[in-house]
Amino acid sequence: MTKIGMISLGCPKNQVDAERMLATLDRNSFEITDCYDGADAVIINTCGFIDAAKEEAIENILDMASLKAEGVISKIIVTGCLSERYKEEIFEEMPEVDAVVGIGAIGHIDEIVNRVLAGERFTDIPDKTLLPLTGERLLTTPEYWAYLKIADGCSNRCTYCAIPGIRGDYRSVEFETLVEEARQLALAGTKELILIAQDTTAYGRDLYGKLRLPELLNALCEIEGIEWIRMLYCYPDKITDELLDVMKNQPKVLHYIDLPVQHADDGVLKRMNRHGDSALLRDVISRIREALPDAVIRTTVMVGFPGEDEDAFDNLAEFINEVEFDRLGCFSFSPQEGTPAFDMDGEVEEDVKARRGEIIMNDQLEITELKNQEKIGSVYSVLVEDYDGYSDSYTGRTYMDAPEIDGTIKFTSARNYNPGDFAQVEVIDYNEYDLIGKDIK
């Protein structure tokens, strides 16, 4: 049987694409392997969003090229966002790569593999809108949690972002299709469903002429077996009162909002072409906390955008300390070819970006530790993920923590738990971003 390896890089949305490719290969009698030794082909599903992601993708391609030279693997196929952006460069500058495949071609990845194994070397970059938004998946997450990609592409046109050029305009998946996919995931054992898109809150507007995320959440809550529903990538300008009402009244919808604000200085926000200003951000955060007093708000911010002077940075830092986000990630502006911000004036030096990022993360650590200190004595429902025999303790997540992004809680228990079980855990301590607890049952 032909053995195929898969390396998937980047965001959860890319991961779902990889899962659909794996399902196609599995359905066509290819053997999926985690061990590259002896693989007939390795597919590298790349990210190309920012420079760090591109560098990671290139490193993985070069690593596989070395294995190919050593005879460990036979063929290399590169797909994903990097292929969409740099198809000619990859094909011409990396002769070890056998095929460069655009996202619109992954629906026939089985045919691509067969062509490569037959000795062809080629590119296949069809229209990006041919990317399949539905279909079977071979999950790469634990069976008790899974992503549900409700849309692809983006129409927001932030000036720093290459996603519209890579993925195209926003395309929602049909409502009924998503509900059926979620139902199948529940039958397979999924307990936590994580909704993802480039802009989750924009769901439905392109297909139905209105925002239908609240309606979708209500429908997903009716599925037996789904116990937690989490949303990532919720844009501030589309946090409606209707959405907050659903979150308040549906117990399965976690009071967790991933709210990428990017900045808080009005001048920088305008240059970024973000929808809304700092007043809107303050208003939406106030409305969230008023409707959901226990809401956990996660955000990402960018430092070093062109034109971010010291006053603009101070506005961002003051905003973060004022708002006190529960979770925060900070990254430096990375100019991307083909975006309006690529050659904007007002460039910020790299050492200044690094210093500003360090200030933000140091401030956030203080905020996080104070919030964690306040949690001592509280009891949370915890989704168990792992057991460590050395320390005789379990690791899991509360509603406050998205997998692979946020922190965890480590706890001791006299009971035995399996991954995917729920435990009631009292917080007794913390370690920076992570909590420490004990089972109370």
Side-chain angles (χ1 to χ4, degrees):
M1 185 179 289
T2 305
K3 294 172 63 176
I4 308 295
M6 171 75 77
I7 299 171
S8 188
L9 306 171
C11 67
K13 300 177 288 293
N14 216 34
Q15 187 173 341
V16 172
D17 292 345
E19 292 174 345
R20 291 210 165 96
M21 283 190 279
L22 291 173
T24 299
L25 295 168
D26 182 65
R27 188 171 61 249
N28 286 277
S29 301
F30 291 94
E31 179 185 348
I32 310 300
T33 179
D34 292 330
C35 178
Y36 304 133
D37 193 357
D40 295 284
V42 174
I43 301 167
I44 306 172
N45 189 31
T46 61
C47 176
F49 180 49
I50 58 175
D51 288 348
K54 289 186 285 188
E55 291 166 5
E56 182 185 25
I58 292 168
E59 287 173 4
N60 274 272
I61 295 170
L62 294 176
D63 287 345
M64 291 302 106
S66 296
L67 293 183
K68 182 180 179 181
E70 295 168 7
V72 175
I73 65 175
S74 297
K75 303 291 183 180
I76 300 172
I77 299 168
V78 178
T79 186
C81 293
L82 196 74
S83 295
E84 285 287 328
R85 294 192 72 184
Y86 304 106
K87 48 186 177 291
E88 292 91 357
E89 292 88 338
I90 297 171
F91 198 69
E92 293 172 4
E93 298 176 16
M94 298 182 172
E96 303 89 348
V97 174
D98 298 281
V100 180
V101 180
I103 61 173
I106 68 174
H108 55 269
I109 191 67
D110 54 323
E111 299 172 14
I112 289 165
V113 171
N114 283 327
R115 288 177 62 187
V116 164
L117 295 178
E120 290 188 56
R121 184 171 187 264
F122 60 94
T123 62
D124 186 356
I125 314 288
D127 192 312
K128 55 179 66 70
T129 61
L130 295 175
L131 170 75
L133 300 183
T134 63
E136 293 181 58
R137 294 159 56 189
L138 193 61
L139 293 185
T140 56
T141 57
E143 66 175 15
Y144 53 87
W145 69 266
Y147 294 113
L148 183 68
K149 185 161 79 164
I150 66 175
D152 200 82
C154 188
S155 301
N156 286 333
R157 300 299 190 270
C158 300
T159 57
Y160 53 81
C161 184
I163 293 298
I166 298 171
R167 292 270 172 175
D169 288 334
Y170 194 89
R171 292 187 296 143
S172 297
V173 183
E174 290 187 353
F175 189 97
E176 295 76 10
T177 300
L178 289 173
V179 175
E180 180 57 28
E181 183 176 351
R183 187 174 289 113
Q184 294 303 316
L185 288 169
L187 289 173
T190 297
K191 297 180 180 179
E192 180 182 8
L193 199 62
I194 304 175
L195 275 56
I196 55 172
Q198 197 64 34
D199 180 351
T200 303
T201 37
Y203 174 73
R205 188 165 60 183
D206 58 311
L207 275 184
Y208 307 108
K210 63 177 182 178
L211 302 177
R212 291 191 70 183
L213 180 59
E215 186 180 348
L216 178 63
L217 290 171
N218 281 328
L220 296 176
C221 286
E222 295 177 6
I223 298 175
E224 185 177 353
I226 300 295
E227 299 188 42
W228 280 3
I229 299 174
R230 187 186 303 274
M231 295 174 290
L232 301 182
Y233 313 108
C234 299
Y235 274 56
D237 60 305
K238 303 180 193 73
I239 302 294
T240 63
D241 290 340
E242 183 185 7
L243 176 61
L244 294 176
D245 286 343
V246 171
M247 296 183 70
K248 181 177 181 178
N249 296 316
Q250 288 284 12
K252 290 185 179 183
V253 181
L254 300 180
H255 293 179
Y256 177 103
I257 297 185
D258 176 31
L259 193 78
V261 302
Q262 305 306 353
H263 216 279
D265 177 79
D266 288 344
V268 172
L269 288 169
K270 185 175 182 179
R271 287 167 68 88
M272 288 180 167
N273 195 35
R274 296 289 290 180
H275 298 174
D277 55 14
S278 59
L280 180 144
L281 297 180
R282 286 180 168 86
D283 176 69
V284 71
I285 292 167
S286 176
R287 288 194 295 112
I288 291 169
R289 288 178 167 160
E290 182 178 354
L292 310 168
D294 63 341
V296 166
I297 305 177
R298 173 182 174 80
T299 198
T300 51
V301 297
M302 180 191 300
V303 293
F305 189 80
E308 182 194 62
D309 57 18
E310 287 297 330
D311 287 342
F313 172 71
D314 287 345
N315 287 337
L316 172 62
E318 289 170 7
F319 175 79
I320 289 170
N321 282 284
E322 169 197 335
V323 170
E324 296 186 342
F325 289 102
D326 300 274
R327 308 282 185 266
L328 183 143
C330 178
F331 62 101
S332 296
F333 168 72
S334 172
Q336 299 301 303
E337 302 95 324
T339 65
F342 179 70
D343 53 3
M344 276 187 178
D345 57 3
E347 180 182 358
V348 179
E349 297 294 330
E350 291 300 321
D351 61 332
V352 176
K353 294 179 187 177
R355 175 180 61 80
R356 291 176 180 175
E358 186 176 352
I359 290 171
I360 293 296
M361 292 313 298
N362 285 339
D363 286 352
Q364 182 60 36
L365 179 57
E366 291 184 13
I367 292 168
T368 299
E369 289 186 325
L370 286 172
K371 286 178 175 284
N372 284 342
Q373 189 173 33
E374 293 171 356
K375 294 181 178 72
I376 293 176
S378 298
V379 175
Y380 297 100
S381 181
V382 170
L383 182 58
V384 179
E385 297 203 294
D386 194 19
Y387 172 72
D388 178 14
Y390 182 77
S391 62
D392 190 24
S393 64
Y394 293 91
T395 300
R397 292 181 291 107
T398 70
Y399 81 94
M400 301 177 286
D401 300 296
E404 301 178 343
I405 300 174
D406 299 318
T408 60
I409 181 167
K410 181 172 284 191
F411 67 96
T412 56
S413 175
R415 297 181 58 186
N416 293 324
Y417 289 103
N418 295 314
D421 289 344
F422 283 92
Q424 296 299 308
V425 178
E426 179 184 355
V427 178
I428 59 174
D429 204 352
Y430 64 92
N431 180 17
E432 291 191 342
Y433 294 102
D434 299 318
L435 299 176
I436 300 169
K438 62 179 182 181
D439 182 10
I440 63 170
K441 287 189 177 179

